[in-house]
């Protein structure tokens, strides 16, 4: 009965919607999804939570740079993140946004409760704050300090390398120190609370033993956050707001906390190694103060690195999941991420490795096994699976190999050793390929006396493939369905993990198609590298051809944020005047360019080239109209013609229009 099922609650960190998510963020989510799917396969009643962390100064600034209200901005970004998780077939049961009303209300109640019980008190904060990390630092925690001429500290860098600024403001503080001993005791009594072990030592030695300082948990210098109800000029520190999502999502402090009662405490919380501290010090202490059980485990996984270090937009070494999925399919990405590196360690993404894994593991090993098996069943048994009754020792050995694989696989999956679990499945795939070579069905088929042996071999292979499909199904979401379809099986049933006779009597497809076509390694490595270079060029430093670089840069500039403020001097450097279009024609050798002859009031015609043909196919209608031109831009030669300035236009998505002014403005009149 479902009520008796054991529950399993798994969470991912909630993501900052401050930029497009990369394969790095996708890594955490795909790992959690893999575990959720595995646990469901194993019969657990799983609750899998992910979401977005939408408050804080960083978000407020991003929104401002895009000239949007913070709420509009996070709505847009959260919707993109949801789209991405749909593309990656993430099977989360809930998506929480920290701007959701129920979350905000619960956070407010929790903070008031903690103030009332004396765990949170009002004081004054002085220290260093990194907006990018949303983190406060004491001077001694800074990786680098800047000093003024008198030797006074004037700024510095956080351990992440981000700039910090001095903050001095009234703030509510959480009495973390009060709980330090209880926390250490909890670590001792629950040795697997923090995994891997090395992360625990880091927490104890670097943070708890030196003395836990009280944590500033409110800010008054910006407003994009959850206001403290009894003192609303304060908003709750974004990390406290964010951490609470794991319980508010279940209805804690709401009218209906049945999910909280059912699923809390979390069985495991997956987090990247850089945020283990928040999850294994602040988070458990907040829970202790609330009198709530602590999560059973926090697992700090490693980073997916690039050759030049961690993926970051500023380094221009970012790989986005959409590009890989669109070109190579979802399963290769999911397989790659779960196979490439042990979950607790760092690993490196290289295009070569990505393509090799598709070619060797997926196309060769798995794809060929399926293809060979189905072709032989068609050829020797008219497409029908006849029997799986073991006849020879090869058959029993294959069954034994499966038992070993299943045991290993479960052992590894239970410990989140995803690459090892996959390796045990691939060991069975190799074993099955070898079994074909050992039993030689093409030889058995020539001897009528060997019919029983032949049927058994083909049945063993089909059953083996059914089981392989099931074992990889937590990681790969599409191939198992294709494999079942090719084997004539029903994906909603036929799911027992026991080696048996499920396949007997089934008819395989008469037209097997490879589930992973083999790729041209050289060409595809080039493709990925080029895509990465395009991203890099958007940040200005790629190894692309000049024109591709210009294109990427132009695209990125249009997406780029403007500086928050410019001086009046900056503005007044640009000379804009009203001009009249005397003539316009298409520029020679250029599809998109129009060549304008303009009267700018000087008596000398001015020529400007502008990419407007696409938007004004009937461009002759523009003659006689007045437009705004920037006239002190350095002249440039475009396709052999000089362009002396730039025409102003507006752009709203695909809609581009010249800025026209009415005829009452004199030619040469200055704008400003
Ligand atoms: N908002 C906070 C988490 C709050 S949880 C209460 C946050 N968000 S994040 O968007 O910056 O990061 C979310 C997760 O993505 C982290 O676990 C982080 O480690 C992970 N990754 C981001 N880039 C990564 C790699 N390149 N490799 C692996 N995971 C990385 O922190």
């Amino acid at each position: 009965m479902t009520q008796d099922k054991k529950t399993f609650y798994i969470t991912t960190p909630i993501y900052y919607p401050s930029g497009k998510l990369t394969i790095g963020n996708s890594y955490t989510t795909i790992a959690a999804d893999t575990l959720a799917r595995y646990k469901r396969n194993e019969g657990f009643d799983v609750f899998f939570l992910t979401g977005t962390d939408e408050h804080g100064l960083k978000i407020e600034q991003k929104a401002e740079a895009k000239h949007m209200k913070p709420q509009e901005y996070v709505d847009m970004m959260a919707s993109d993140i949801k789209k991405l998780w749909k593309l990656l077939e993430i099977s989360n049961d809930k998506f929480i946004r920290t701007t959701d009303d129920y979350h905000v209300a619960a956070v407010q109640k929790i903070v008031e409760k903690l103030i009332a019980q004396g765990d949170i008190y009002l004081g004054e904060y002085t220290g260093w704050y990194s907006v990018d990390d949303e983190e406060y630092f004491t001077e001694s925690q800074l990786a680098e300090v800047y000093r003024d001429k008198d030797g006074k500290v004037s700024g510095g860098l956080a351990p992440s390398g981000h700039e910090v600024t001095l903050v001095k403001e009234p703030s509510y503080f959480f009495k973390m120190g009060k709980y330090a001993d209880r926390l250490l005791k909890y670590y001792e009594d629950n040795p697997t609370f923090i995994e891997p072990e090395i992360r625990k030592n880091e927490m104890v030695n670097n943070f708890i033993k030196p003395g836990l300082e009280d944590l500033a948990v409110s800010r008054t210098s910006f407003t994009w956050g959850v206001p403290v109800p009894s003192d609303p000029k304060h908003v709750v520190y974004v990390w406290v707001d964010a951490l609470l999502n794991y319980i508010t999502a279940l209805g804690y402090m709401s009218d209906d906390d049945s999910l909280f009662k059912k699923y809390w405490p979390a069985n495991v919380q997956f987090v990247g190694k850089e945020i283990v501290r928040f999850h294994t010090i602040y988070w458990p202490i907040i829970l202790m103060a609330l009198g709530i059980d602590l999560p059973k485990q926090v697992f700090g996984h490693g980073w997916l690195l690039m050759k030049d270090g961690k993926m970051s937009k500023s380094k221009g070494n970012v790989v986005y999941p959409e590009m890989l999925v669109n070109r190579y399919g979802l399963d290769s990405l999911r397989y790659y991420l779960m196979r490439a590196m042990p979950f607790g360690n760092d690993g490196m993404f290289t295009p070569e490795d990505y393509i090799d894994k598709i070619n060797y593991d997926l196309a060769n090993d798995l794809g060929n096994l399926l293809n060979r098996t189905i072709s032989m069943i068609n050829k020797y048994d008219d497409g029908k699976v006849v029997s799986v009754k073991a006849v020879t020792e090869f058959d029993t050995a294959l069954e034994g190999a499966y038992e070993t694989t299943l045991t290993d696989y479960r052992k590894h999956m239970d410990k989140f050793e995803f690459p090892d679990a996959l390796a045990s499945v691939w060991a069975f795939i190799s074993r099955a390929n070898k079994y074909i070579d050992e039993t030689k069905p093409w030889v058995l088929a020539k001897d009528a006396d060997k019919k029983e042996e032949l049927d058994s071999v083909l049945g063993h292979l089909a059953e083996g493939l059914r089981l392989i499909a099931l074992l990889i199904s937590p990681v790969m979401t599409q191939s198992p369905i294709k494999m079942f379809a090719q084997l004539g099986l029903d994906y909603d049933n036929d799911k027992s993990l026991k080696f048996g006779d499920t396949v007997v009597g089934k008819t395989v497809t008469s037209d097997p198609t490879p589930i992973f076509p083999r790729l041209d390694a050289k060409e595809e490595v080039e493709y990925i590298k080029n895509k990465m270079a395009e991203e890099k060029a958007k940040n200005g430093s790629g190894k692309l051809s000049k024109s591709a670089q210009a294109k990427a840069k132009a695209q990125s500039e249009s997406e780029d944020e403007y500086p928050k403020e410019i001086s009046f001097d900056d503005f007044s450097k640009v000379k804009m005047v009203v001009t009249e279009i005397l003539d316009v024609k298409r520029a020679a050798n250029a599809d998109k360019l129009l060549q304008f002859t303009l009267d700018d009031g000087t008596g000398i015609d001015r020529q400007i080239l502008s990419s407007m043909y696409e938007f004004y196919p009937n461009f002759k209608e523009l003659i006689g109209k007045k437009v705004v031109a920037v006239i002190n831009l350095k002249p440039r030669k475009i396709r052999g013609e000089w362009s002396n300035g730039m025409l102003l236009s507006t752009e709203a998505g695909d809609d581009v229009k010249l800025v026209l002014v009415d005829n009452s403005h004199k030619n040469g009149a200055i704008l400003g």
Side-chain angles (χ1 to χ4, degrees), residues 370-394:
L370 179 70
N371 235 262
R372 287 167 91 188
T373 301
I374 291 187
S375 303
M376 290 191 294
I377 295 173
N378 277 313
K379 196 160 168 195
Y380 305 130
D381 270 336
D382 288 332
K384 248 204 155 75
V385 182
V386 182
S387 152
V388 289
K389 201 167 128 310
V391 178
T392 67
E393 62 195 29
F394 291 126

Side-chain angles (χ1 to χ4, degrees), residues 13-16 24-25 28 53 239 242 246 272 274-275 301-304:
I14 48 173
Y15 300 90
Y16 290 128
N25 312 104
T28 318
D53 185 356
W239 266 101
Y246 301 128
E274 82 284 15
I275 56 175
H301 67 73
W303 285 342
L304 189 61

